[in-house]
Amino acid sequence: MCGIIGYVGKKNSVPFIIDGLKKLEYRGYDSAGISILQEGKLVTVRAVGKVAELEKAALLANPKGQCGIGHTRWATHGKPCEENSHPHTDCTGEIVVVHNGIIENFLTLREKLSSLGHRFKSETDTEVIAHLIEENLKTACGATPKERLINAVRKTNGEISGAYAYGVLWAQVPGFLLGVKNQSPMVVGLGKDENFLSSDVPAFLKHTNKVLFLEDGEMAELTETGVKLLDKNGAEKPLKPVKINWDQKTAEKGGYEHFMLKEIYDQPQAIEDTLRTAQTDFGKLLNLNTRELRALQQVHIIACGTAYHAGLVGKYYIENFAGIPVTVDLASEYKYRCVPRTAGTLAIAVSQSGETADTIGAIRKAKELGFKTLAICNVLASTLTRVCDATFYTHCGPEISVASTKAFTSQLTSLYALALFLGKAKGNISEASFNSLYKELLTLSKFMADAVKIEYDVRHITKRVYKAPHFLFLGRNVNFPIALEGALKLKEVSYRSAEGFAAGEIKHGPISIIEKGTPTIVLMPADSLFEKMLSACQECRARGAFVIAVTTQEGARLAKDSVDKTIILPYAGELLQPVLNVVALQ
Ligand code: M6R
């Protein structure tokens, strides 16, 4: 994932671009760069590291110009270094490209272009785009350089394959930016005498909240005075901008040390907002009548990473309340497995961004198989929501931290609500049970508001264990996916090794990795599986583990002789407790 930004307007573009890149750092931060059109010539500045490094370099180089593009990178092809940082140029140095995504056929194209005399300066897939545009310009039709550029870019799009969104600037067409989208996000901000191109809204939200979400295959032409949208055949489309109501503050850190912490604290609000705006009738949302809902035979949940863990919890919810069998697949696996074409299947894709290529690919496959498709997604008008038959939105606001927190708990909340609705529609739970369970769900945000207060207890305990090289997370039943999520979060954020296990499985091998002092975090609220979890603690301790129980008041009392430390959370009920337990792990 990378972040791109482009500006064209009356003012010096550099501060807009640098500021936009800072807002996009959550998309990647191993290197960054800008290209500015200054008096007919492109000035490019690039730096390894965070945008702050680029800012220093840009201050020294001091480029100035009213049109420019920028990029913040998360390496996928070629190591993080200045040569591999974007923007990338063609042989003439007059065409610059910033790109987010992966060009799958870049090696073939690179060979072909090299044989035609193109000289490559980086190891990236992106650079082929710049050279391909240069090559295609040689034969492109058009009365003006601008028309020729558009045609060359269209031809280029027909030759590259993969997921991409890119911005192009050609020195021969001053004051003109082109944005292209295919399976990676691209948005346009419509300002007054200035327009913006970006991977995401926070990059320009300070300047405009009028946003155009590009569809796959579309191209946007930006000048200081306007924006033109072309469909995949090159025909002009009417602009249908949406007004984004997130204010800049929502998109920024809100006074917290870092975005992840801010987003952990956002959770009570995110849950409340998700439930407040929840569609109270999933039948209508899916355009299914009661008979069709009753005919549902199975649910397939498809997702990646944290969203996959939410899906695993969702399985327990749906099977419990609706009695419908559920399979949960990693999207990257679903795409390649043989999925029987079973009538009455509902496929649910869970994704914060709605732009994860594997999830989109997998749900497309589900559609091809004739399944009804539902997205549980956070980003309005994202690709996934346009592919699926219906979308249930989580309402978390923008997720800036790469590590997912509030998106996860909002996904769990949504899946719980969905399970209740399906249960009612299937006749698996009565109207009265539905009402009382839904009422309970509405209290979740209050429990969450108490749960986030454990920060200081957790900080205290982490001081004791943070140097350990390896961590274990154990859970059972509905808390097993939470153990997986805890391990993912710890790996992602601390770069330490961590594994999550179903507590009943440790005796089948994993227990051997426990040594003296191995921090072992055990999810053990005082519920129906408490006794089982207690014996898991004893087994681990016998091997020398340092056991930290994530539990409830009653659990802490009962476990005091079997664990080393306790983190005490409020108790929201057996099936809702995972939503609180994960906070301790975040
Ligand atoms: O945007 P998505 O929910 O589709 O992203 C899927 C995963 O990449 C994501 O959940 C990832 O695992 C988390 N950000 C990790 O914290």
Side-chain angles (χ1 to χ4, degrees):
M1 190 163 80
C2 302
I4 62 186
I5 170 106
Y7 171 92
V8 53
K10 284 193 188 310
K11 301 177 189 143
N12 179 17
S13 58
V14 178
F16 288 93
I17 295 174
I18 298 278
D19 190 51
L21 289 179
K22 286 183 183 163
K23 304 282 176 335
L24 291 174
E25 266 194 319
Y26 74 96
R27 302 185 62 84
Y29 38 81
D30 64 40
S31 55
I34 54 172
S35 281
I36 309 297
L37 192 60
Q38 179 172 316
E39 292 162 5
K41 283 218 162 61
L42 284 165
V43 182
T44 297
V45 184
R46 303 186 294 185
V48 174
K50 296 195 131 197
V51 176
E53 299 304 316
L54 173 71
E55 192 174 21
K56 284 185 215 154
L59 271 174
L60 283 176
N62 199 23
K64 285 198 175 70
Q66 294 158 343
C67 182
I69 51 180
H71 187 272
T72 176
R73 179 168 187 252
W74 186 251
T76 55
H77 290 78
K79 59 185 176 299
C81 62
E82 200 172 321
E83 297 71 47
N84 288 337
S85 332
H86 300 217
H88 289 286
T89 62
D90 67 329
C91 297
T92 66
E94 291 198 331
I95 300 166
V96 278
V97 172
V98 283
H99 160 232
N100 168 38
I102 292 172
I103 307 297
E104 283 166 2
N105 58 342
F106 90 102
L107 278 175
T108 322
L109 290 169
R110 192 176 161 119
E111 261 174 39
K112 186 178 142 198
L113 289 159
S114 298
S115 72
L116 293 170
H118 290 262
R119 292 286 158 262
F120 284 82
K121 300 169 285 293
S122 76
E123 304 162 296
T124 65
D125 52 341
T126 304
E127 198 183 341
V128 298
I129 305 176
H131 290 277
L132 205 50
I133 296 173
E134 177 192 10
E135 189 60 32
N136 290 333
L137 269 169
K138 292 178 186 161
T139 52
C141 318
T144 60
K146 181 167 147 185
E147 281 174 26
R148 288 179 49 230
L149 175 65
I150 293 166
N151 287 328
V153 168
R154 289 195 56 215
K155 182 153 186 238
T156 300
N157 294 342
E159 291 171 293
I160 54 180
S161 58
Y164 52 85
Y166 67 92
V168 190
L169 184 56
W170 188 24
Q172 292 195 24
V173 197
F176 181 70
L177 275 180
L178 255 187
V180 172
K181 172 183 162 35
N182 182 48
Q183 294 181 46
S184 289
M186 166 79 72
V187 291
V188 168
L190 304 166
K192 189 170 174 306
D193 298 331
E194 58 190 13
N195 291 300
F196 304 82
L197 191 68
S198 181
S199 310
D200 203 357
V201 177
F204 54 68
L205 193 56
K206 215 189 218 173
H207 313 291
T208 180
N209 66 352
K210 257 174 91 181
V211 179
L212 205 62
F213 289 89
L214 266 60
E215 300 275 348
D216 283 346
E218 285 181 352
M219 270 184 11
E221 300 176 23
L222 283 78
T223 61
E224 151 192 330
T225 51
V227 171
K228 211 164 133 183
L229 190 63
L230 305 179
D231 71 12
K232 53 176 173 264
N233 303 314
E236 191 170 346
K237 283 184 78 175
L239 303 186
K240 289 190 185 145
V242 279
K243 212 164 157 198
I244 295 292
N245 289 324
W246 304 336
D247 57 12
Q248 191 64 38
K249 218 172 127 255
T250 316
E252 291 177 12
K253 275 188 281 186
Y256 289 98
E257 229 174 296
H258 50 76
F259 279 115
M260 184 175 172
L261 194 56
K262 172 191 175 289
E263 290 172 7
I264 289 171
Y265 277 95
D266 280 348
Q267 290 180 111
Q269 191 64 50
I271 289 175
E272 201 169 315
D273 290 347
T274 297
L275 286 174
R276 184 182 307 124
T277 53
Q279 304 281 337
T280 44
D281 190 336
F282 277 87
K284 263 192 217 126
L285 181 72
L286 287 163
N287 200 17
L288 293 177
N289 59 34
T290 313
R291 191 183 50 78
E292 288 167 318
L293 276 169
R294 286 191 175 228
L296 275 184
Q297 293 304 310
Q298 58 173 352
V299 171
H300 290 179
I301 301 181
I302 300 159
C304 302
T306 291
Y308 168 72
H309 297 152
L312 290 173
V313 178
K315 174 182 164 74
Y316 290 94
Y317 290 166
I318 296 171
E319 291 184 342
N320 187 73
F321 292 126
I324 308 173
V326 181
T327 58
V328 189
D329 279 75
L330 290 163
S332 52
E333 292 296 314
Y334 191 86
K335 282 202 291 189
Y336 303 106
R337 86 165 161 91
C338 171
V339 180
R341 193 185 288 273
T342 311
T345 302
L346 168 66
I348 304 174
V350 185
S351 172
Q352 186 285 131
S353 62
E355 299 295 349
T356 301
D358 283 327
T359 308
I360 294 164
I363 206 76
R364 283 205 166 109
K365 172 174 174 173
K367 264 194 116 168
E368 279 159 26
L369 287 165
F371 304 159
K372 201 87 191 163
T373 52
L374 172 72
I376 293 183
C377 187
N378 190 43
V379 179
L380 186 82
S382 55
T383 307
L384 184 71
T385 67
R386 298 196 300 270
V387 172
C388 287
D389 298 319
T391 300
F392 180 89
Y393 281 106
T394 51
H395 289 269
C396 312
E399 181 189 84
I400 309 293
S401 165
V402 175
S404 183
T405 53
K406 60 180 179 175
F408 180 67
T409 46
S410 297
Q411 286 160 355
L412 297 184
T413 307
S414 311
L415 284 160
Y416 194 95
L418 172 67
L420 291 181
F421 281 103
L422 288 177
K424 186 170 72 159
K426 285 287 271 183
N428 209 51
I429 52 173
S430 66
E431 182 87 32
S433 311
F434 171 86
N435 288 339
S436 99
L437 287 161
Y438 203 81
K439 214 165 139 197
E440 250 173 56
L441 178 61
L442 291 175
T443 62
L444 184 61
S445 64
K446 292 203 174 58
F447 282 108
M448 182 56 92
D450 284 336
V452 292
K453 291 182 190 150
I454 57 168
E455 180 189 346
Y456 295 96
D457 296 346
V458 176
R459 273 184 193 267
H460 181 69
I461 293 173
T462 50
K463 278 193 186 137
R464 168 76 174 71
V465 296
Y466 78 98
K467 285 189 177 152
H470 184 73
F471 292 74
L472 285 189
F473 291 84
L474 303 182
R476 224 177 156 133
N477 194 259
V478 75
N479 280 307
F480 166 46
I482 305 301
L484 297 178
E485 173 59 10
L488 169 66
K489 215 89 290 170
L490 194 101
K491 285 184 271 208
E492 187 183 17
V493 174
S494 70
Y495 303 170
R496 292 296 165 85
S497 147
E499 283 184 271
F501 291 108
E505 274 296 296
I506 50 164
K507 56 182 169 295
H508 299 291
I511 201 156
S512 0
I513 58 175
I514 295 180
E515 42 190 48
K516 193 167 171 353
T518 300
T520 302
I521 296 96
V522 185
L523 302 167
M524 48 186 301
D527 62 12
S528 63
L529 289 169
F530 182 78
E531 294 295 332
K532 301 251 174 231
M533 297 308 298
L534 205 57
S535 61
C537 293
Q538 285 149 3
E539 282 170 50
C540 295
R541 261 186 137 199
R543 294 276 179 147
F546 182 79
V547 174
I548 302 166
V550 175
T551 184
T552 48
Q553 201 76 54
E554 175 65 356
R557 188 182 66 77
L558 296 170
K560 73 176 184 327
D561 297 329
S562 309
V563 304
D564 296 287
K565 292 279 175 196
T566 48
I567 297 171
I568 300 175
L569 287 160
Y571 188 60
E574 195 145 343
L575 289 176
L576 283 175
Q577 197 61 17
V579 190
L580 306 186
N581 284 342
V582 76
V583 177
L585 313 190
Q586 291 168 350

